[in-house]
Amino acid sequence: MTSASYIFLAGASRGVGREIAQYLTAQQLKVRAFLRTAAVASELEKIGIEVVQGDALNVGDVERAMLTDEPIHTVISTIGGLPSEGERADYPGNRNLIDAAVKAGVQKFILVSSIGAGNSVVALSPQVLAALGTVLVEKEKAEQHLIASGLTYTIIRPGGLKSEPATGNGVLTEDPHIIGSINRADVAQLVVRCLNSDRTNNKIFSAIDRNMQFEQREFAEFTLQ
């Protein structure tokens, strides 16, 4: 990254996105966070993050936040939604971010999706698939839109997410059959490590904690270096 370019982070208000924000600022990277609500804006600004308020479901908001004179090195998106929130941003919100990133000449787009999307559907039990199927369809549509966009991409599909401190045991694998849990902080570490790793360009990964695999099966861990 050049000193003039910055990271555009969508989804920094909670969960994995909030953890990513902490790691990025710890590395003294320039970060612009795109927030739907102002609830955590002051907390992010205190750690040196520029905050732009807007709704990912609104194309105008997204383009206003992203199409500026400052070059964007990477867009990172962790946005999704809860079943209680009405229209989910998993596909339409990410589609707007991806389209704006193309217009902005972004170098890389990292999308945090979910195990169960795309070919990793084979990792899920019928019960889990029945519960999450509609959400996973939306996430897969976002993945496919990103792949078709022409942007350099990395797609990370975490397993079951936990809100515990990082263990340092988060791993990436291209094996779609792997299922397990991972702490949100470890997902964030993996995302940040993918920022400047050309080896992760145009690849799709599942992410789990190597000590939280549900079904013990051999798999190849992806080496970031």
Side-chain angles (χ1 to χ4, degrees):
M1 281 183 61
T2 66
S3 58
S5 61
Y6 66 94
I7 308 297
F8 186 97
L9 176 60
S13 63
R14 64 188 182 198
V16 173
R18 186 65 176 276
E19 297 283 354
I20 291 170
Q22 300 276 3
Y23 284 119
L24 291 174
T25 54
Q27 293 192 11
Q28 299 183 317
L29 296 171
K30 289 172 60 179
V31 183
R32 175 178 297 166
F34 184 65
L35 299 180
R36 188 175 58 182
T37 63
V40 298
S42 61
E43 296 172 36
L44 292 174
E45 287 169 343
K46 282 178 186 173
I47 61 172
I49 291 176
E50 177 191 352
V51 172
V52 179
Q53 198 170 339
D55 189 339
L57 296 173
N58 183 306
V59 175
D61 284 359
V62 175
E63 292 192 345
R64 188 163 51 251
M66 205 180 291
L67 299 179
T68 66
D69 291 336
E70 298 174 283
I72 303 173
H73 181 276
T74 302
V75 173
I76 301 172
S77 176
T78 68
I79 65 171
L82 301 173
S84 59
E85 292 179 339
E87 185 180 8
R88 298 176 59 98
D90 297 85
Y91 171 56
N94 278 311
R95 179 190 62 211
N96 290 341
L97 290 168
I98 292 161
D99 291 348
V102 172
K103 289 184 180 180
V106 168
Q107 294 186 41
K108 189 168 185 174
F109 195 113
I110 300 176
L111 176 65
V112 178
S113 182
S114 175
I115 286 180
N119 65 345
S120 65
V121 68
V122 296
L124 300 188
S125 68
Q127 295 88 343
V128 173
L129 186 57
L132 299 178
T134 54
V135 174
L136 295 172
V137 167
E138 293 294 293
K139 290 185 180 295
E140 181 178 359
K141 284 160 67 176
E143 291 183 4
Q144 291 302 318
H145 193 75
L146 176 56
I147 292 165
S149 71
L151 291 166
T152 297
Y153 66 85
T154 302
I155 295 170
I156 298 175
R157 299 167 171 165
L161 294 167
K162 296 184 176 184
S163 296
E164 301 288 339
T167 66
N169 293 316
V171 294
L172 299 176
T173 179
E174 293 183 87
D175 186 338
H177 297 87
I178 296 307
I179 184 72
S181 295
I182 185 169
N183 295 345
R184 288 177 171 85
D186 286 298
V187 177
Q189 283 188 356
L190 291 171
V191 168
V192 173
R193 289 178 65 197
C194 287
L195 262 179
N196 293 309
S197 172
D198 289 342
R199 295 197 71 237
T200 65
N201 288 352
N202 303 324
K203 289 188 179 293
I204 303 175
F205 302 105
S206 293
I208 65 167
D209 188 299
R210 64 167 63 93
N211 296 327
M212 300 183 197
Q213 190 180 354
F214 293 164
E215 300 171 0
Q216 293 306 313
R217 56 181 290 156
E218 294 293 323
F219 69 94
E221 295 181 13
F222 185 84
T223 305
L224 283 159
Q225 269 72 36

